[in-house]
Amino acid sequence: MRREATVKASLAAALAGLVLWGGLPLYRHRHFGVPVVKGPGVTAVLKLSEFSKGLEGTAADTTVFVLQGKEPGGRALVMGNTHASEPEGMLTALIFIEHAVVEKGTLYVIPFFNASAGRNTRPGDGYPLYFDVPTEWGSKRFRFGNRDASPLDQWPDPDVTVHYPTKQLLSYIDARNTNRTWPGRPGGLPMERVTFGAMELIRREKVDLAIDIHGAETMFPVTNCIVAPEKSVRVATMAALTVKAAEGFESHVEPSPPRFHGLSHREIGDHSDALPFLLEAPIPFLDQPTGPKTVEFFLDGKDPFLLSLSKKKKLFVPYDETGWSLEKRVGQHCSTTLEIFRQFSRRNADRALVVKGVPRYAEILENGVGHYYADPSKAAPGTVLRH
Ligand SMILES: [Zn+2]
């Protein structure tokens, strides 16, 4: 009898140990704070819940950085981490927060748009929990997130997602995908409250341009492009042609399908006066037939399997031994965003947006992405937030 109790107790202890051993890294990941250093251009820091009360006190609430220029002008919203497994948008947004100085107009930057997805993981796919970007002062650590919000913050999933307000049927998982829940609603599921908050910000603050920054597989046809609905096509086309001619990289324009609902590039334009744009740059790391998902591969984008697929013409972008580095991806996003501002401003002098201090493609290729992140331990008091 006594022996049986001892066996049971040791089995229970072993099980508890296993749960702790497996769960602690995930707990630490969820609670890890990425330092965000506010640059000289930041004039206010808001929460998205100020535009969507239902987010207050939840893990889906997120920070909005405001960079207001001295002169009035146009207004733009830049979003990163709509899909937190495509962190290039967040890395680009942080460069804007640290370096942009707005001379005319106002910039709103949401680096961790799906804050819950940024605290979710993809360990089943062999993804790392974190990635470190090398800088001159050491390396800056970021959480590697998932495409969808954490089930800890929104659960259970429906059998089928019914898009609001069109009633279009979407996959069950899209209920946690903030690029399927636009335009959202105030009392909806948490992810609908996130997109509703951004819609309200866009409407109340009279935002002219909304730029949602993503990344996609090299084997996915919608990659290396600017997705734009009809109302944004002129500005997107001019931006694409200009970056190609002046900076030597490709980013073609893809039309936003009018009947595919829930996406930022569709709903923002249909439910506000803003012109939406969704930017994609290729992330080889996201492709399926690759070697191990290491941090090094995420940073340099080099993979022998993709290289052989490229020779068989199976990829939608040119791909060679040089891979597709983080520098190229973030550099493209910085330049394309700045070019969209410039092209819009040329046509709308009274709503011009003039942003200085943000590096462009060639500078980022030359200096590296980490060069643009300041050491948070040396930053002035009160300028560092953890997200
Ligand atoms: Zn995406």
Side-chain angles (χ1 to χ4, degrees):
M1 214 43 209
R2 181 175 253 170
R3 221 184 116 175
E4 201 177 299
T6 318
V7 169
K8 277 185 181 167
S10 29
L11 277 177
L15 184 69
L18 199 65
V19 167
L20 270 178
W21 178 74
L24 258 181
L26 301 181
Y27 178 87
R28 284 206 202 97
H29 175 273
R30 185 169 163 87
H31 294 89
F32 178 82
V34 176
V36 179
V37 181
K38 283 192 285 172
V42 176
T43 50
V45 178
L46 311 173
K47 294 302 268 185
L48 194 60
S49 54
E50 292 173 40
F51 302 90
S52 179
K53 290 285 167 231
L55 287 175
E56 232 166 48
T58 73
D61 199 1
T62 194
T63 310
V64 184
F65 294 84
V66 185
L67 293 84
Q68 188 176 5
K70 285 198 177 70
E71 275 185 74
R75 293 170 176 204
L77 167 65
V78 174
M79 293 167 276
N81 265 15
T82 292
H83 292 148
S85 52
E86 303 156 12
E88 285 74 0
M90 176 267 292
L91 297 172
T92 303
L94 294 189
I95 292 180
F96 272 79
I97 291 167
E98 287 204 30
H99 296 275
V101 174
V102 181
E103 293 186 349
K104 207 170 182 185
T106 304
L107 198 54
Y108 301 85
V109 185
I110 308 181
F112 302 92
F113 187 66
N114 191 338
S116 168
R119 298 183 187 282
N120 198 6
T121 63
R122 293 176 67 136
D125 290 340
Y127 276 45
L129 292 178
Y130 305 91
F131 61 95
D132 297 293
V133 175
T135 74
E136 282 94 356
W137 47 267
S139 61
K140 186 170 166 96
R141 169 157 284 201
F142 298 90
R143 289 183 311 268
F144 210 108
N146 200 351
R147 186 175 168 86
D148 313 294
S150 167
L152 292 173
D153 304 316
Q154 184 176 302
W155 198 81
D157 294 325
D159 291 334
V160 174
T161 300
V162 182
H163 174 254
Y164 175 85
T166 63
K167 298 197 169 70
Q168 184 163 88
L169 300 182
L170 300 167
S171 161
Y172 78 97
I173 194 72
D174 285 334
R176 287 192 271 127
N177 175 355
T178 47
N179 201 25
R180 295 295 183 278
T181 59
W182 295 89
R185 50 184 156 176
L189 293 170
M191 295 310 113
E192 291 180 303
R193 298 178 194 186
V194 171
T195 45
F196 175 76
M199 279 309 318
E200 279 295 283
L201 185 158
I202 290 167
R203 288 185 288 244
R204 282 192 224 164
E205 303 296 313
K206 301 192 169 28
V207 167
D208 301 286
L209 305 164
I211 302 178
D212 184 14
I213 309 179
H214 290 243
E217 295 86 344
T218 61
M219 294 185 80
F220 185 63
V222 185
T223 190
N224 213 29
C225 61
I226 309 172
V227 189
E230 318 78 80
K231 69 197 280 198
S232 310
V233 158
R234 262 181 82 91
V235 171
T237 305
M238 284 312 297
L241 291 172
T242 310
V243 294
K244 187 172 182 185
E247 300 183 63
F249 70 85
E250 194 85 42
S251 189
H252 68 279
V253 177
E254 280 281 337
S256 163
R259 291 204 184 87
F260 186 8
H261 288 284
L263 296 116
S264 63
H265 52 74
R266 167 54 40 207
E267 309 297 342
I268 291 174
D270 288 356
H271 293 269
S272 77
D273 294 331
L275 303 184
F277 304 85
L278 186 146
L279 312 190
E280 298 276 16
I283 312 179
F285 182 90
L286 294 180
D287 278 292
Q288 289 295 339
T290 70
K293 304 291 188 190
T294 61
V295 171
E296 191 189 3
F297 174 28
F298 171 70
L299 295 178
D300 66 20
K302 291 181 189 170
D303 181 74
F305 299 96
L306 291 181
L307 195 57
S308 85
L309 285 165
S310 166
K311 288 178 183 145
K312 293 179 179 125
K313 309 229 176 306
K314 300 283 185 207
L315 308 186
F316 286 89
V317 289
Y319 191 85
D320 59 22
E321 288 76 9
T322 58
W324 208 296
S325 68
L326 186 71
E327 276 61 45
K328 265 175 98 164
R329 281 127 57 191
V330 173
Q332 286 189 204
H333 288 320
C334 281
S335 274
T336 309
T337 302
L338 292 170
E339 199 53 43
I340 288 171
F341 294 169
R342 205 174 71 89
Q343 293 297 336
F344 172 80
S345 304
R346 284 181 58 195
R347 281 169 187 74
N348 302 275
D350 55 322
R351 299 290 292 172
L353 178 65
V354 181
V355 178
K356 295 279 163 74
V358 176
R360 294 187 82 117
Y361 183 66
E363 293 163 75
I364 295 176
L365 279 190
E366 163 109 26
N367 300 322
V369 172
H371 176 75
Y372 297 96
Y373 303 133
D375 183 351
S377 71
K378 302 232 165 64
T383 57
V384 182
L385 270 93
R386 288 194 179 263
H387 210 292

